[in-house]
């Protein structure tokens, strides 16, 4: 399995953590939530660095408690589909993960990479070929990243999305236990 990880690290597909949202449903910035005395963004970054050579954070500003490359999201809108389009135009092929989905395992990430596909909102591999469909979605006022691409399933427990403080409070023990699986 080590060979496959190294092969993935060498293929130069960048991983990008989406961390530029308003967190309006949550009530405070989710990217700075603490798990084991480190931010959620830090944990996502460290997990991805085990797989990817290049890992970036997409954010409207530098608000992080560690050093990492940031791609500044200059969009006025807080709609990640616009950010996704800009990132695809810049890199052509990318792996995207939202900061608030902390339990996606390395195994599932590798599965998404191997199949060059997506699952869940804004989680998976997007390529330049996906731009047309994403732009069509916007024209239809559909701001979903779902583009009719083959989707694969990963365990539901890994797709825990921290949309509300109650999600975080109820699942904190579980998150701490499984953050690096």
């Amino acid at each position: 399995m080590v060979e496959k990880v190294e092969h993935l690290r060498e293929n130069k597909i960048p991983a990008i953590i989406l961390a530029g949202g308003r967190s309006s449903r949550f009530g405070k910035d989710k990217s700075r939530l603490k798990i084991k005395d480190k931010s959620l963004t830090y944990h996502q970054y460290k997990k991805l660095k085990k797989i990817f050579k290049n890992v970036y954070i997409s954010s409207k500003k530098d608000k992080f408690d560690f050093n990492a490359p940031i791609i500044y999201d200059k969009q006025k809108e807080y709609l990640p589909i616009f950010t996704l389009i800009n990132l695809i135009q810049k890199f052509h092929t990318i792996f995207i993960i939202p900061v608030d989905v902390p339990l996606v395992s390395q195994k599932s990430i590798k599965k998404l990479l191997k199949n060059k596909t997506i699952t869940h909102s804004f989680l998976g591999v997007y390529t330049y070929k996906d731009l047309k469909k994403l732009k069509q979605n916007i024209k239809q006022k559909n701001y979903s990243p779902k583009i009719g691409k083959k989707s694969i399933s990963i365990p539901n427990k890994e797709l825990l999305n921290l949309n509300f403080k109650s999600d975080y409070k109820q699942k904190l023990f579980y998150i701490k236990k499984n953050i690096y699986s």
Side-chain angles (χ1 to χ4, degrees):
M1 192 57 110
V2 173
E3 284 181 34
K4 290 182 181 177
V5 171
E6 286 306 312
H7 176 70
L8 290 173
R9 286 177 60 85
E10 292 170 8
N11 71 19
K12 298 186 181 171
I13 294 173
I16 303 168
I17 303 165
L18 295 177
R22 282 187 288 206
S23 303
S24 54
R25 289 177 286 181
F26 196 85
K28 71 180 203 176
D29 190 344
K30 292 184 276 187
S31 69
R32 299 174 69 184
L33 283 176
K34 297 293 182 183
I35 309 284
K36 296 182 179 181
D37 298 322
K38 298 285 185 181
S39 70
L40 200 53
T41 308
Y42 173 85
H43 289 292
Q44 289 284 53
Y45 183 81
K46 287 299 182 185
K47 178 178 15 181
L48 293 170
K49 280 302 281 181
K50 293 176 183 178
I51 301 170
F52 296 89
K53 182 177 180 182
N54 298 302
V55 178
Y56 302 92
I57 301 167
S58 174
S59 180
K60 295 203 181 290
K61 61 183 178 178
D62 185 352
K63 54 187 175 177
F64 306 103
D65 57 353
F66 65 102
N67 290 325
I70 296 172
I71 299 172
Y72 291 97
D73 178 3
K74 296 181 175 145
Q75 296 292 322
K76 291 178 185 175
E77 302 88 354
Y78 281 87
L79 292 167
I81 193 167
F82 291 110
T83 303
L84 178 60
I85 287 170
N86 288 336
L87 292 169
I88 293 169
Q89 288 172 332
K90 179 177 176 77
F91 293 106
H92 293 255
T93 301
I94 56 176
F95 179 83
I96 290 286
I97 189 167
V99 72
D100 60 353
V101 184
L103 298 179
V104 179
S105 70
Q106 292 178 45
K107 180 181 176 183
S108 292
I109 291 169
K110 292 173 193 173
K111 186 176 176 182
L112 288 163
L113 284 167
K114 181 182 174 190
N115 291 285
K116 293 186 171 77
T117 194
I118 61 175
T119 185
H120 196 259
S121 291
F122 299 99
L123 174 59
V125 177
Y126 287 88
T127 69
Y128 207 77
K129 293 177 188 175
D130 300 325
L131 280 176
K132 184 177 180 181
K133 180 63 177 152
L134 290 166
K135 288 177 180 181
Q136 284 174 346
N137 284 1
I138 291 171
K139 280 184 183 177
Q140 297 168 357
K141 301 204 183 298
N142 170 8
Y143 301 109
S144 167
K146 295 179 181 165
I147 52 175
K149 198 172 189 174
K150 180 184 116 185
S151 181
I152 61 170
S153 66
I154 60 176
N156 278 340
K157 65 182 180 180
E158 292 184 26
L159 297 176
L160 170 70
N161 189 310
L162 302 175
N163 282 322
F164 302 96
K165 282 184 184 174
S166 59
D167 298 332
Y168 176 68
K169 289 176 182 174
Q170 289 173 359
K171 302 290 184 178
L172 185 57
F173 176 77
Y174 184 76
I175 293 168
K176 284 180 180 180
K177 185 177 169 191
N178 294 286
I179 192 98
Y180 288 116
S181 62

